[in-house]
Amino acid sequence: AQSVTQPDIHITVSEGASLELRCNYSYGATPYLFWYVQSPGQGLQLLLKYFSGDTLVQGIKGFEAEFKRSQSSFNLRKPSVHWSDAAEYFCAVGAYSGGGADGLTFGKGTHLIIQP
Amino acid sequence: KAGVTQTPRYLIKTRGQQVTLSCSPISGHRSVSWYQQTPGQGLQFLFEYFSETQRNKGNFPGRFSGRQFSNSRSEMNVSTLELGDSALYLCASSSRGSEETQYFGPGTRLLVL
């Protein structure tokens, strides 16, 4: 079965500083990887996804992520954070069996705090 | 295009009751997935429907059930509610199935007293 680990429960970053959120996955085949963001009381908004091809993917709001197969990682980065980036960030992996999709498996999330 | 809509947004029930939640996917999307989000367990996959058929199911008891209609709208039902069913229930839609990107609705927050 697939799994996702987000090692950092909370991260505090100063506004304007760079950001890296870590994500490690476990999956037997080539994974489909996603980063979602959730603001308080809201649903999940897709930031970016990796299906295949270029291992560096660009997303919305200035985010990017790099797929590293050798490290089973899909870390999210942003060069300069804004106060509006404060939210919960979830990494997810998609698994697909012969009978169809098994649903996304999510990490526990990383709570991002932005210091002024 | 309108996004995924879920109704109601908030719900309060008592133990033993049942509840039905509704999800309208993005127009043209035929796959609807349901997830439960709790502080303790995080986001967990409940089930997925595609063209009115349940294709996959997560590890939840039979009290959790769902269905999908011909217009792709989906409902989720929880019978004999327990306190632990209090959660944010999220619905996601995609065009061909979960191998495509899933777009999430705002969720229904259920409180069981």
Side-chain angles (χ1 to χ4, degrees):
Chain A
Q2 64 276 10
S3 65
V4 177
T5 300
Q6 293 180 246
D8 304 305
I9 299 174
H10 301 277
I11 280 190
T12 301
V13 178
S14 298
E15 190 169 15
S18 64
L19 170 71
E20 182 169 31
L21 302 182
R22 296 183 291 165
C23 171
N24 293 98
Y25 67 90
S26 172
Y27 183 58
T30 300
Y32 296 80
L33 294 162
F34 307 84
W35 275 99
Y36 285 90
V37 61
Q38 185 178 38
S39 298
Q42 302 297 313
L44 300 174
Q45 181 182 22
L46 178 71
L47 286 175
L48 45 79
K49 61 188 178 186
Y50 172 77
F51 282 1
S52 65
D54 193 348
T55 57
L56 183 64
V57 293
Q58 303 297 320
I60 62 171
K61 304 185 180 185
F63 286 94
E64 67 176 27
E66 186 171 11
F67 170 60
K68 292 185 177 180
R69 185 189 301 276
S70 61
Q71 298 176 20
S72 297
S73 69
F74 189 57
N75 294 348
L76 181 71
R77 300 193 294 250
K78 186 170 184 178
S80 176
V81 298
H82 185 261
W83 64 267
S84 60
D85 293 326
E88 192 83 16
Y89 290 79
F90 294 93
C91 180
V93 62
Y96 309 102
S97 64
D102 295 333
L104 294 175
T105 297
F106 285 87
K108 294 294 188 184
T110 297
H111 184 63
L112 176 62
I113 300 165
I114 307 296
Q115 279 184 337
Chain B
K1 264 186 183 178
V4 178
T5 57
Q6 293 186 245
T7 57
R9 292 292 309 279
Y10 304 93
L11 209 48
I12 300 175
K13 292 286 187 179
T14 56
R15 278 181 300 174
Q17 287 186 310
Q18 74 163 13
V19 67
T20 298
L21 313 181
S22 180
C23 171
S24 292
I26 292 170
S27 178
H29 284 189
R30 294 165 63 190
S31 169
V32 173
S33 297
W34 288 90
Y35 293 82
Q36 181 195 64
Q37 185 178 25
T38 60
Q41 299 299 315
L43 281 151
Q44 295 182 285
F45 172 68
L46 280 157
F47 32 65
E48 186 221 0
Y49 285 86
F50 183 82
S51 293
E52 302 179 65
T53 301
Q54 186 183 90
R55 291 204 300 188
N56 281 291
K57 191 176 191 302
N59 189 25
F60 279 82
R63 300 186 297 107
F64 292 82
S65 63
R67 59 177 176 169
Q68 187 180 32
F69 302 95
S70 58
N71 62 358
S72 294
R73 189 177 70 84
S74 177
E75 288 182 346
M76 191 192 93
N77 184 274
V78 187
S79 62
T80 320
L81 283 166
E82 301 177 0
L83 296 179
D85 297 333
S86 294
L88 181 67
Y89 290 89
L90 293 164
C91 162
S93 77
S94 65
S95 57
R96 290 190 301 146
S98 292
E99 62 270 27
E100 291 273 340
T101 301
Q102 293 187 42
Y103 295 92
F104 284 80
T108 294
R109 185 162 298 280
L110 171 65
L111 177 61
V112 182
L113 301 175

